[in-house]
Each structure stands twice: as C-alpha cells, then as structure tokens.
C-alpha cells in the first residue's frame, strides 16, 4: 500500500474549540499581535513546538499508574535506567527535569571561563548554558546546512575541517568537549550521518577530547540514516541507535522530544568520577539521583516513550507526515528549507514576502497571518527572536541571517485531515500574500524579547 496511515488508534480525545476569523482578530489584538500571548484554548492547530506536546500512548498512561514514588531506589528509576543503558549504552544515567538542566549540570562540571565548545549548531538553551560559564559556543555546521534551498541528505553534519582547525587554533586545553546535536534543531531539524559521527569521534579521540551528543531527536536521526545513508537500509533502528551512541562518551537529552513525554530529561556519561560530581550538583537543585526533579510516574512514561520512539512504523509515519506537509507547501509555492527535517517545516518568509523589509519582521507578520486565517499557531525564527536592539536609538542594530517561520509537529497529536486543513489555510495565505504588511514593536524586554514583545501591524 502506498498510503501511510497513523499507526495508532485514538483512545482519548481533547476537544478543539473552533473560532471565526472575526473572533481571532479580537484574540490576536488582545495578545498585542504576539502568538506567545494567545491562550491555547483560542488556537485550533498548535504548531508552536514539538516539545512536551506529544500524545502519550495507553502503555505510557498505564506506566503513569505504576510509577513508584519512593524518594530513594524507586523501581521506576531502575526501569528508566535499564532502558537508557540498553538503548544508548552509557554506564551512568542521571535523570533531570528537562534537557537544559542536564546541560547546566554538564557544563558546570566540564566547562570553564575562556573555553570553546564546538557543536554543529547549538540549540538556544545549550548556547545560553555554555555562555553562562563564560565560554564560547561555536557552531561548525557544514556550509550546505546554512542554505535553505540547497538539497543535501545530511545538512546537520559537522564540518570536520573547521573542527580540526578550531582545535588547532584554540588549543586542546581550552576545548573541554565536542558536541553534536542530532537532529540539528536550530539548523532546520536536519540529520547528521553515521559517517560524520564516526569522523567527529575519530577527531575527538585523536585529541583526547570527550565527545557528547545532544540527543533530543536521536530516533528521528536514526531513521534518516536508515533511509538516506548507504549501507543502512537493512539495519534495524535499534542497531543504528546503538551504533550512533557507541561513538560518544556521553549525552544530554530532553525527553520532551523523542522521549514522547510531557516533561523530563537526562544526562549520561561513562566516566564514574565525572558522574559523581554531576550527581552532587543534581542533589543541590534537581533532587536525589534516583528521581532528579521528576516524579516516579514521569520516569515510567519516559522509559516507555523511548522504546516507542524507535518503533519503525512510528518513525516512518512521523517522518512521512512532516515530509507530506513540506511537499504540499512547496506545491503551493512556499519557499521552505529543503529537504524537510524530522520535526518541523521552516518557511522562508523573507523570500515569500519581499514587500516586507527584515526590520519590519516578515516572519512575525506571516505567523500572525497563519493565526488570523486559520487559528494556526507557529513561531517566528528570525529578527524578532535573534535581532539586537539599541534602546538609545530605538533601532535594531542587528538582524537575523534568515527570516523563518517554523511549523513544529507535535508527536502523534494531529491527524492527516488536520494537516490538510493547515495546507488549505496556507493556500489562502499564499493567494493573498501581497496584502500582508510588516509589524512594528511597541514594547520589548532587553533580552529574549520574542516571548513578551508587543506589536502593531504597519498599515500600508
Ligand atoms: C529542546 C532542546 C533542548 C533543551 O531541552 P528542554 O527540555 O527544552 O530544556 C536542547 N537541545 C535541543 C536540540 C533541543 O531541541
């Protein structure tokens, strides 16, 4: 059969409140034209993020009931630990409340002021946690990974030459670890090849530098290796996962992604001394090492979610449904980042809306249009998010490289007909794209302004 269907049945449903365009005009204005400030009850399809927004399975809900809430030595922790050891092969497993807590603990222990941490592309919390240690977060993704319209099967790959040059010029003593993010979230959810992971590990080994994976979407990355990399077609996902992790000395993970849980994360290493220091810090802010800021029931949900995320039928559906939305948007005429990644579609708003100059935020204007037209919430990844503002002159002094709008797909949450609705809304927006006008910021905070800024449309 050619038709790929959702490989699950729905057992529990959550109603969506339908709304009219007129009411959405009111909601958007009340939210000062900032989609982050819209109430979720007023959103029809929420594509703001795939983090913690997936649907849990009946097995996960059963695990929630089974959760052992003992403070120390919880059975749920043992199940969590066993699952991760079996899948990823690390000796030490430290639970945390989210990915960023794992990052903070790892970098507090390993990174010192003046260090440089290479990565293909740092995710924003990873970058912030490196910089918080007064170190530099350096992005070394291949050049192809920075061009939205350039087709390449593994646009998340690390540039090996740049990595070696960085080590040679900075010096080994100032590089505490090398990281690779799978898949490369900030670079369009693009995968990293097995060959590239092997090469990075060879470089890391030859300089005796620890190699860590930011493993949030490890299962999606494994599926891309299976379908795109020579020699992996016939391999099982679990064997690909095991090989990927065999090259690394440790990992950080947000279980809100490929853990298909609503909260949670973990940190792994093979180094017992390092793990001891990490556990000491864990106790300070997260909790005892057998729960780390999570409830026993969360540990159960994550252990089960991790095994469901590597199911091949699930991954085929997951990657195909993202590709389906991407293909339809391309057919309509939308310029998007190609090839489509695992968890999201990124629309190039600068190219779509040439009438709006970057300092009038074309991505933000497009995100507002998706909400007005169909109650669809997306997120701008452009100059509102990354621009730098000078409060003395009242002007932006730095704009983003790209003006993108991300449509992130929550796991197992929306059906194909709901995605078809998104496509129909996109068609209407495309037809009227010349009428979309720019935006003006009327209030902004000095940092992370996108979360709380207020806007007005610029009338043409
Ligand atoms: C989400 C994410 C993180 C941070 O995880 P949280 O659970 O949100 O703290 C780190 N790295 C990547 C690549 C992510 O996608």
């Amino acid at each position: 059969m050619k038709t790929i269907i959702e490989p699950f049945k729905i057992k529990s449903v959550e109603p969506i409140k339908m709304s009219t365009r007129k009411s959405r005009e009111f909601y958007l204005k009340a939210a000062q034209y900032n989609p982050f400030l819209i109430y979720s009850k007023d959103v029809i399809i929420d594509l703001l993020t795939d983090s913690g927004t997936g649907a849990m399975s009946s097995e996960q809900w059963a695990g929630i009931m089974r959760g052992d809430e003992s403070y120390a030595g919880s059975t749920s922790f043992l199940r969590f630990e066993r699952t991760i050891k079996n899948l990823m092969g690390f000796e030490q497993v430290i639970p945390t409340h989210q990915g960023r807590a794992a990052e903070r603990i790892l970098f507090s222990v390993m990174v010192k002021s003046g260090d440089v941490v290479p990565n293909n592309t740092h995710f924003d919390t990873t970058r912030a946690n490196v910089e918080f240690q007064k170190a530099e977060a350096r992005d070394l993704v291949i050049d192809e990974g920075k061009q939205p319209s350039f087709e390449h099967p593994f646009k998340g790959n690390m540039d090996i030459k740049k990595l070696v040059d960085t080590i040679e010029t900075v010096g080994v003593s100032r590089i505490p670890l090398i990281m690779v993010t799978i898949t490369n979230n900030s670079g369009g959810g693009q995968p990293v090849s097995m060959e590239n992971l092997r090469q990075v590990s060879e470089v890391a080994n030859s300089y005796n530098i620890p190699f860590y994976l930011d493993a949030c979407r490890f299962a999606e990355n494994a599926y891309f290796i299976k379908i795109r990399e020579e020699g992996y077609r016939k391999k099982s996902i679990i064997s690909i996962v095991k090989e990927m992790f065999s090259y690394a000395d440790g990992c950080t993970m947000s279980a809100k992604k490929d853990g298909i849980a609503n909260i949670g994360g973990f940190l792994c290493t093979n180094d017992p001394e390092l793990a001891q220091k990490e556990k000491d810090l864990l106790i300070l802010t997260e909790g005892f090492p057998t729960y780390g800021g999570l409830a026993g029931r969360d540990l159960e949900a994550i252990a089960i979610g991790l095994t469901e995320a590597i199911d091949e039928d699930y991954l085929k559906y997951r990657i195909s449904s993202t590709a389906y939305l991407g293909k339809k948007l391309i057919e309509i005429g939308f310029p998007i980042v190609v090839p489509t990644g695992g968890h999201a579609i990124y629309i190039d708003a600068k190219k779509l809306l040439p009438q709006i100059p970057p300092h009038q935020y074309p991505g933000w204007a497009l995100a507002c249009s998706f909400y007005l037209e169909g109650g669809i919430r997306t997120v701008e990844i452009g100059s509102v998010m990354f621009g730098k503002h000078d409060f003395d002159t009242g002007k932006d002094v730095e704009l983003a490289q790209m003006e993108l709008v991300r449509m992130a797909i929550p796991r197992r949450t929306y059906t194909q007909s709901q995605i078809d609705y998104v496509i129909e809304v996109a068609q209407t927006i495309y037809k009227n794209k010349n009428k979309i006008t720019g935006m003006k910021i009327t209030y902004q905070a000095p940092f992370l302004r996108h979360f709380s800024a207020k806007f007005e449309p610029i009338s043409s």
Side-chain angles (χ1 to χ4, degrees), residues 154-173:
F154 293 102
K155 279 170 102 171
N157 281 356
M158 178 88 100
D159 189 318
I160 301 295
K161 186 173 177 308
K162 282 190 200 152
L163 177 64
V164 172
D165 287 350
T166 300
I167 299 170
E168 289 291 334
T169 47
V170 172
V172 176
S173 65

Side-chain angles (χ1 to χ4, degrees), residues 50-51 97-101 103 121-126 181-186 214-217 252-257 263-265 343 406:
D50 67 320
S51 178
H97 81 277
Q98 297 201 196
R100 68 196 69 184
E103 291 166 354
T121 311
H122 286 82
F123 180 67
D124 53 7
T125 60
T126 321
T181 307
I182 52 172
T183 58
N184 192 21
N185 186 1
S186 300
D214 178 340
C216 296
R217 297 179 183 79
T252 57
M253 171 81 190
S254 168
K256 302 174 75 171
K257 322 291 172 45
I263 196 71
H343 69 292
R406 185 183 75 179

Side-chain angles (χ1 to χ4, degrees), residues 432-457:
N432 302 316
K433 65 182 165 57
N434 298 337
K435 290 189 212 137
I436 301 175
T437 63
M439 308 294 294
K440 181 170 84 185
I441 297 183
T442 58
Y443 161 81
Q444 59 185 301
F447 47 85
L448 294 173
R449 62 177 178 175
H450 51 288
F451 289 124
S452 58
K454 296 170 180 173
F455 297 82
E456 264 171 17

